Amino acid sequence: WWPPFLPQSPAFFLPCLAIAFRLTCYYYRGAYYKSFFQSPTSCAVRGLARSYRGETALVLFQNLHRYTLYGALLLLVFLWWEGFAAFFRGGRFGIGVGTVVMLMNAALLTGYTFGCHSWRHLIGGRLDCFTCDGAVSPRFRMWKGSSWLNDRHMAFAWFSLVRVAFTDFYIYLVSSGTIRDLNTW
């Protein structure tokens, strides 16, 4: 049923979810709006003479960030699954450099995703009061944890971006036979 002009696997489109999530990220938006469009203005960016009209016209797609979050959450499930599955080869347990590389990649991407503004909004950012009934709810604890990650969102954004590239390159080198993975098997 898969059209012959498209890549052989629908998994080819999974990176598109990650790219869309990063491209519409609130942190990255601020960085590239100021870098390329000099808007909105701030103390470090003087701005152009035109007025800021918000996310209209071509940049309206930025509002998809809350929806791309669901795709990013799905990708996290796949990354953690692959990371833990990498501990087993031929039914035997072992650990290798690649296993650690994959788990660190998943961990940094988890920190980036769960520190996202859209995630914070989804788990409780729209509530007026978490403790109105006098008890601290699990939802409030999740929101506090997400707030801690959100304070470090810029660091998670850049470290995870570099780590994704490193992980992909490492896996490519091992799978092509260019290097050998040190492991306990």
Side-chain angles (χ1 to χ4, degrees):
W1 64 274
W2 194 249
F5 59 88
L6 291 175
Q8 293 300 309
S9 170
F12 177 80
F13 295 103
L14 289 177
C16 294
L17 290 173
I19 291 168
F21 185 63
R22 285 213 190 249
L23 192 62
T24 59
C25 172
Y26 297 125
Y27 165 71
Y28 284 121
R29 277 195 260 189
Y32 64 76
Y33 279 8
K34 289 178 177 146
S35 298
F36 298 115
F37 307 120
Q38 296 179 348
S39 178
T41 59
S42 65
C43 58
V45 177
R46 200 158 119 198
L48 298 174
R50 62 186 163 86
S51 63
Y52 178 68
R53 293 179 304 201
E55 292 167 348
T56 58
L58 291 177
V59 291
L60 190 62
F61 78 95
Q62 298 287 24
N63 296 321
L64 294 174
H65 187 64
R66 289 191 180 168
Y67 302 105
T68 60
L69 171 68
Y70 301 120
L73 293 171
L74 177 67
L75 289 175
L76 282 180
V77 171
F78 294 153
L79 288 173
W80 281 106
W81 179 271
E82 290 172 351
F84 286 120
F87 281 104
F88 299 94
R89 179 189 281 171
R92 290 184 31 222
F93 179 80
I95 188 168
V97 173
T99 322
V100 174
V101 166
M102 290 175 70
L103 287 179
M104 287 178 63
N105 181 47
L108 284 172
L109 285 170
T110 299
Y112 170 63
T113 305
F114 289 148
C116 171
H117 298 81
S118 292
W119 174 255
R120 289 178 69 229
H121 178 78
L122 183 68
I123 62 172
R126 65 188 178 278
L127 297 178
D128 290 331
C129 182
F130 284 107
T131 57
C132 290
D133 59 358
V136 176
S137 68
R139 193 174 195 177
F140 176 67
R141 287 193 289 271
M142 283 177 50
W143 184 81
K144 288 289 283 185
S146 181
S147 296
W148 184 88
L149 290 169
N150 184 263
D151 287 342
R152 293 146 184 87
H153 195 56
M154 179 182 70
F156 277 110
W158 287 108
F159 288 141
S160 66
L161 184 65
V162 170
R163 192 63 190 200
V164 164
F166 174 77
T167 302
D168 288 347
F169 187 62
Y170 183 83
I171 291 171
Y172 167 75
L173 290 176
V174 171
S175 65
S176 68
T178 306
I179 63 172
R180 189 165 185 267
D181 185 41
L182 300 173
N183 57 58
T184 60
W185 290 286

